[in-house]
Amino acid sequence: LQTLDGQTLQLSDLQGQAIVLNFWASWCPPCRAEMPELEQVHQENMDQGLMVLGVNQGEQQAVANDFMQRFGLTFPVVLDQELIASRNYKVNSLPTTFFIDRNGVIQDQVTGQVNTALLNEKLRSIFP
């Protein structure tokens, strides 16, 4: 998928990193509500090899960019405009978050809004 700055990113590019893969859209109230916690987890753990990666579902680059700037988010985001990744991951509602270990194996999934306590609990399965 394409990042907001036009680069192509595949999960295989992130091999060796633990990943919090979050599917979201700007129109989704629970998505907006969980973004500060996702940003906090990103800031606190990125130097130790944890990647928070947002997957914007079905929106244009300008909409996703505006959302990221408005919320002061710094983790990378890819655009799933054709919903290919959403179908592959069987995402049926937003937000949906996957917790992927350093070997690329999905260890857990949460459908619905996450908070700091839940994120920290789920991170234990993928990140020391």
Side-chain angles (χ1 to χ4, degrees), residues 16-36:
Q17 294 186 24
I19 302 167
V20 175
L21 185 66
N22 176 260
F23 287 79
W24 63 275
S26 64
W27 52 261
C28 163
C31 299
R32 289 193 301 270
E34 73 182 1
M35 286 298 163

Side-chain angles (χ1 to χ4, degrees), residues 15-104:
Q15 189 172 22
Q17 294 186 24
I19 302 167
V20 175
L21 185 66
N22 176 260
F23 287 79
W24 63 275
S26 64
W27 52 261
C28 163
C31 299
R32 289 193 301 270
E34 73 182 1
M35 286 298 163
E37 279 98 343
L38 288 166
E39 178 65 20
Q40 180 180 354
V41 164
H42 169 69
Q43 290 295 327
E44 290 174 353
N45 299 289
M46 65 181 174
D47 291 339
Q48 290 81 35
L50 178 72
M51 164 80 69
V52 173
L53 177 60
V55 180
N56 177 269
Q57 192 181 57
E59 296 182 308
Q60 296 299 316
Q61 180 178 356
V63 172
N65 236 344
D66 180 60
F67 181 89
M68 296 295 289
Q69 290 177 0
R70 196 168 11 129
F71 283 86
L73 305 173
T74 62
F75 54 83
V77 168
V78 293
L79 300 169
D80 189 18
Q81 293 173 321
E82 305 295 322
L83 305 182
I84 294 167
S86 298
R87 280 193 295 275
N88 287 342
Y89 280 85
K90 297 177 174 61
V91 173
N92 295 317
S93 64
L94 295 178
T96 297
T97 305
F98 294 88
F99 297 85
I100 304 170
D101 69 19
R102 293 178 189 270
N103 296 316

